[in-house]
Structure formats: structure tokens, C-alpha cells
Amino acid sequence: MIVGGAQRNNRNRKQRQNRQSQNRSAQNRPKQATAAARSVAAARGGKRDLTKSIAGAVVIVVIAAAVVGGVLYEKHKSEAAAQTVIPALTVAGSAQVPVTIDKTAATVLVGKPDAKVTVNAYEDFECPICRDFESANFPEIEKQLQAGTVKVNYHMINLLDASSVPAGYSSMSANTALAVATVAPEKFMDFHYSLYQKQPEENGPGWTQAQLTSLANRLGVTGSEFTSLINNKTYFKQIQANLDNASKNKALFQTSSDGSTGFGTPTIVANNKVVNWQNDTTWLSDLVKSAYPSS
């Protein structure tokens, strides 16, 4: 077959066009591949960003839930504390033990005047270690009070005023105890004992004034004088003065577990010395034996 010039030219033109088309396709393939890779990478990057966003959202939800849960828990504790009725407990023979209040010093002396052993107890009704002291030592103290060998001078301290929610339980409970001792001294030991048997949690909601007043009322302490002492916060200044004076008195300082020294509650003093009651479980009976060697 003879191909004329026009046909040859047409054929050559078509061949050139085919080759150019193939070349362009070949050139476009890397670009297309690169674009596809970018699309995949973008998609993957989007997934990573989405994952981060989801993780961040989860963290926020968890934190929010923890905050809300904490708030609800604290609210529940406060509501439960506000509904607590402090049991009105009595100490056997407490009405027969003399009780004298020093209004100026905000102290209460319990025991017969001629008792040879005098114990000074610096306590805070919010203090859990004071509760431990009372639990461990009150049976022996009560025994010696009844025997007339020991008298205890209770110093009202508000060291932990900031450790209740709201703040101020230490002052409020001490003022109420002093009001009880003023109006009905024979009920002081019962009130004191009851508060340590049912103590509010440190750094939690303390008992309210209504709860403290209810306890005193159920123990038989009522009347306008008692109400006035409560409403006027009569002994608040003296209670604070007790803390200020004790905090400056180096004779009352104790050494803590970290080696520092200072005043803390409870501080128990006898014969002008701080008693190491946690390590010496017979300290009181030893004092009595020393004061009454023939008994």
C-alpha cells in the first residue's frame, strides 16, 4: 500500500499526538500520586486532630465530673452534719464533783479543792488528738475526780478555728462549754464528755450553734442567761487570749515529729511539766501515787 504525503502527514500527526498524550499522562501520574498522598495525609492528620479533640473533650468532661462530684460530696457532708443530733451523755457522779469557772481566764476547774494533784489541760473541741487523749485517759481521770485526789483545770483553746467549714467551730464550742459552766456548772463534765464522744471531722463541717445549744438543752441547761451568753459570744475574746498566751509560753511547747517546737493541742501539764501521755500510759496514776504514797 502506497501512502501519500497527506496520509503520511496525518498518520505522523496522530502518532505525535498519541505520544504527547502519553507523555502528559506520565507526567501527571506523579502529580496525581502526590496529590493523593497529600489527601491521605490530610485525612490522617484530620483523624489525629479529631482524636486529640476527642481526648481533650473527654479530659474536660472527667474534670468537670470530678468537680461536680466533689461539690455534691461536700454538700452531702454538710447536710449530713447539719442533721446530726449530738448524743447527750452523762458522766457518772459528775454532779457531785465541784466545778468552778474563771470567767476572766476562760478556764473551768473540775475537782475537789483539796486534791493534791492538779492537771492543766489545753484542749480544742475540734482537735482529733484531744479526742484521743480523752478516750485514753478519761476513765482514769473520772476515777481520780471521784476519789478527790485530782483536779483538772480545762483551758478553752480555739487553735483549729480555721479547720472547720465554716470556720469558727472551735471558738463556738468553747464558748458554749463556758456558758454551760457559768449557768449549770454541774453539767459541764457531761457537755465536755458528749462533745468528744461525737466530734465533727477536722476540715469538715463543724456542729452548728443550734446543735450545740440543743445538746446543752437536752442535758438540762436552759434559760435566758444561757441564751444571752451564746448570742453575745461572751467568752470569744478570752478564748482567743488563751491561745495567744499559750502560743507564747515556751513552757508549753512540744516537739513535733518533724523536729519543730511550738504549742499544740492537747497539751497536758502536771507539776509544771508537759506530760508525754502518748508514751506514758500510767502518768496519772503515778502522779497520784507520788502525791498519796500511803494510799
Coordinates of all heavy atoms in Angstrom, one line a residue, residues 253-290:
F253 N 5.6 24.4 125.1 CA 6.0 23.9 123.8 C 6.3 22.4 123.8 O 6.8 21.9 124.8 CB 7.2 24.7 123.3 CG 6.9 26.1 122.8 CD1 5.7 26.7 123.1 CD2 7.9 26.8 122.2 CE1 5.4 28.0 122.7 CE2 7.6 28.1 121.7 CZ 6.4 28.7 122.0
Q254 N 6.0 21.8 122.7 CA 6.3 20.4 122.5 C 7.0 20.2 121.2 O 6.9 21.1 120.3 CB 5.0 19.6 122.5 CG 4.2 19.7 123.7 CD 2.9 18.8 123.7 OE1 3.0 17.6 123.7 NE2 1.8 19.5 123.6
T255 N 7.7 19.1 121.0 CA 8.5 18.9 119.8 C 7.6 17.9 118.9 O 7.2 16.9 119.4 CB 9.8 18.2 120.1 OG1 10.6 19.1 120.9 CG2 10.6 18.0 118.8
S256 N 7.4 18.4 117.7 CA 6.6 17.6 116.7 C 7.5 16.5 116.0 O 8.7 16.5 116.2 CB 6.0 18.5 115.7 OG 6.9 19.1 114.9
S257 N 6.9 15.7 115.2 CA 7.6 14.6 114.5 C 8.7 15.1 113.6 O 9.6 14.4 113.3 CB 6.6 13.7 113.8 OG 5.9 14.5 112.9
D258 N 8.5 16.4 113.0 CA 9.5 16.9 112.1 C 10.6 17.7 112.8 O 11.4 18.3 112.2 CB 8.8 17.8 111.1 CG 8.1 19.1 111.7 OD1 8.2 19.2 113.0 OD2 7.5 19.8 111.0
G259 N 10.6 17.7 114.2 CA 11.6 18.3 114.9 C 11.4 19.7 115.3 O 12.1 20.3 116.1
S260 N 10.3 20.3 114.8 CA 10.0 21.7 115.2 C 9.3 21.7 116.5 O 8.7 20.7 117.0 CB 9.0 22.3 114.1 OG 7.8 21.6 114.1
T261 N 9.4 22.9 117.2 CA 8.8 23.0 118.5 C 7.7 24.1 118.5 O 7.8 25.1 117.7 CB 9.8 23.3 119.6 OG1 10.5 24.6 119.2 CG2 10.8 22.2 119.7
G262 N 6.7 24.0 119.4 CA 5.7 25.0 119.4 C 4.5 24.5 120.3 O 4.6 23.4 120.8
F263 N 3.5 25.3 120.4 CA 2.3 24.9 121.2 C 1.3 24.2 120.3 O 1.1 24.6 119.1 CB 1.7 26.2 121.8 CG 0.4 25.9 122.4 CD1 0.3 25.3 123.7 CD2 -0.8 26.2 121.8 CE1 -0.9 25.0 124.3 CE2 -2.1 25.9 122.4 CZ -2.1 25.3 123.7
G264 N 0.7 23.2 120.8 CA -0.3 22.5 120.1 C -1.3 21.9 121.1 O -1.1 21.9 122.3
T265 N -2.4 21.3 120.5 CA -3.4 20.7 121.4 C -3.4 19.2 121.1 O -3.2 18.8 120.0 CB -4.8 21.3 121.2 OG1 -5.1 21.2 119.8 CG2 -4.8 22.7 121.6
P266 N -3.6 18.4 122.1 CA -3.7 18.8 123.5 C -2.4 19.0 124.1 O -1.4 18.3 123.7 CB -4.4 17.6 124.2 CG -4.0 16.4 123.4 CD -3.8 16.9 121.9
T267 N -2.3 19.9 125.1 CA -1.1 20.0 125.9 C -1.6 19.7 127.4 O -2.5 20.4 127.9 CB -0.5 21.4 125.8 OG1 0.0 21.5 124.5 CG2 0.7 21.5 126.8
I268 N -0.9 18.7 128.0 CA -1.3 18.3 129.3 C -0.1 18.6 130.3 O 1.0 18.2 130.0 CB -1.7 16.8 129.4 CG1 -2.7 16.5 128.3 CG2 -2.2 16.5 130.8 CD1 -4.0 17.3 128.4
V269 N -0.4 19.4 131.3 CA 0.7 19.8 132.2 C 0.4 19.4 133.6 O -0.8 19.5 134.1 CB 0.8 21.3 132.2 CG1 1.9 21.8 133.1 CG2 1.2 21.8 130.7
A270 N 1.3 18.8 134.3 CA 1.2 18.5 135.7 C 2.6 18.7 136.4 O 3.6 18.4 135.8 CB 0.8 17.0 135.9
N271 N 2.6 19.2 137.6 CA 3.8 19.6 138.3 C 4.7 20.5 137.4 O 5.9 20.3 137.4 CB 4.6 18.3 138.7 CG 3.9 17.5 139.8 OD1 3.0 18.1 140.5 ND2 4.2 16.2 139.9
N272 N 4.1 21.4 136.7 CA 4.8 22.3 135.9 C 5.6 21.7 134.7 O 6.5 22.3 134.2 CB 5.7 23.2 136.7 CG 5.0 24.0 137.8 OD1 3.9 24.6 137.4 ND2 5.5 24.0 139.0
K273 N 5.2 20.5 134.4 CA 5.9 19.8 133.2 C 4.8 19.3 132.3 O 3.7 18.8 132.7 CB 6.7 18.6 133.8 CG 7.9 19.1 134.6 CD 8.7 17.8 135.0 CE 9.9 18.2 135.9 NZ 10.7 17.0 136.3
V274 N 5.2 19.4 131.0 CA 4.3 18.8 130.0 C 4.3 17.3 130.0 O 5.4 16.7 130.1 CB 4.7 19.3 128.5 CG1 3.9 18.6 127.5 CG2 4.6 20.8 128.4
V275 N 3.2 16.7 130.1 CA 3.1 15.2 130.2 C 3.1 14.6 128.8 O 2.4 15.0 127.9 CB 1.8 14.8 130.9 CG1 1.6 13.3 130.9 CG2 1.7 15.4 132.3
N276 N 4.0 13.6 128.7 CA 4.1 12.8 127.5 C 3.1 11.6 127.6 O 3.5 10.5 127.7 CB 5.5 12.3 127.3 CG 5.7 11.6 125.9 OD1 4.7 11.5 125.1 ND2 6.9 11.2 125.6
W277 N 1.8 11.9 127.5 CA 0.7 11.0 127.8 C 0.7 9.9 126.7 O 0.2 8.8 127.0 CB -0.6 11.7 127.9 CG -1.0 12.4 126.7 CD1 -0.7 13.7 126.4 CD2 -1.8 11.9 125.6 NE1 -1.2 14.1 125.1 CE2 -1.9 13.0 124.6 CE3 -2.4 10.7 125.3 CZ2 -2.6 12.8 123.4 CZ3 -3.0 10.6 124.1 CH2 -3.1 11.6 123.2
Q278 N 1.1 10.2 125.5 CA 1.1 9.2 124.4 C 2.0 8.0 124.7 O 1.8 6.9 124.3 CB 1.3 9.8 123.1 CG 0.2 10.7 122.6 CD 0.5 11.5 121.4 OE1 1.6 12.2 121.3 NE2 -0.4 11.5 120.4
N279 N 3.1 8.3 125.3 CA 4.1 7.2 125.6 C 4.1 6.7 127.0 O 4.6 5.6 127.3 CB 5.5 7.8 125.3 CG 5.8 8.0 123.8 OD1 5.2 7.4 122.9 ND2 6.6 9.0 123.5
D280 N 3.5 7.5 127.9 CA 3.5 7.1 129.3 C 2.0 6.9 129.7 O 1.3 7.9 130.0 CB 4.1 8.2 130.2 CG 4.2 7.9 131.7 OD1 3.7 6.7 132.0 OD2 4.6 8.7 132.5
T281 N 1.5 5.7 129.6 CA 0.1 5.4 129.8 C -0.3 5.4 131.3 O -1.5 5.4 131.6 CB -0.3 4.1 129.2 OG1 0.6 3.1 129.8 CG2 -0.1 4.1 127.7
T282 N 0.7 5.4 132.2 CA 0.4 5.4 133.7 C 0.7 6.8 134.3 O 0.9 6.8 135.6 CB 1.2 4.3 134.4 OG1 2.6 4.5 134.2 CG2 0.8 2.9 133.8
W283 N 0.8 7.8 133.5 CA 1.3 9.1 134.1 C 0.4 9.6 135.2 O 0.9 10.1 136.2 CB 1.3 10.1 133.0 CG 0.0 10.5 132.4 CD1 -0.6 9.8 131.3 CD2 -0.9 11.5 132.8 NE1 -1.9 10.4 131.1 CE2 -2.0 11.5 131.9 CE3 -0.8 12.5 133.7 CZ2 -3.1 12.3 132.1 CZ3 -1.9 13.4 133.8 CH2 -3.0 13.3 133.0
L284 N -0.9 9.4 135.1 CA -1.8 10.0 136.1 C -1.8 9.2 137.4 O -1.7 9.7 138.5 CB -3.3 10.1 135.5 CG -4.3 10.7 136.5 CD1 -3.8 12.2 136.8 CD2 -5.6 10.8 135.8
S285 N -1.9 7.9 137.2 CA -1.8 7.0 138.4 C -0.5 7.2 139.1 O -0.4 7.1 140.4 CB -2.0 5.6 138.1 OG -1.1 5.1 137.2
D286 N 0.6 7.4 138.4 CA 1.9 7.6 139.0 C 1.9 8.9 139.8 O 2.5 9.0 140.9 CB 3.0 7.7 137.9 CG 3.3 6.3 137.3 OD1 2.8 5.3 137.9 OD2 3.9 6.2 136.2
L287 N 1.3 10.0 139.2 CA 1.2 11.3 140.0 C 0.4 11.1 141.3 O 0.8 11.7 142.3 CB 0.5 12.3 139.1 CG 1.3 12.9 137.9 CD1 0.5 13.7 137.0 CD2 2.5 13.7 138.5
V288 N -0.6 10.3 141.2 CA -1.4 10.1 142.4 C -0.7 9.3 143.4 O -0.7 9.7 144.6 CB -2.8 9.4 142.0 CG1 -3.5 9.0 143.3 CG2 -3.6 10.3 141.1
K289 N 0.1 8.3 143.0 CA 0.9 7.5 144.0 C 1.9 8.4 144.6 O 2.2 8.2 145.8 CB 1.5 6.3 143.2 CG 0.5 5.3 142.8 CD 1.2 4.2 142.0 CE 0.2 3.1 141.6 NZ 0.9 2.1 140.7
S290 N 2.5 9.3 143.8 CA 3.5 10.1 144.4 C 3.0 11.1 145.4 O 3.6 11.4 146.4 CB 4.2 10.9 143.2 OG 5.2 11.8 143.7

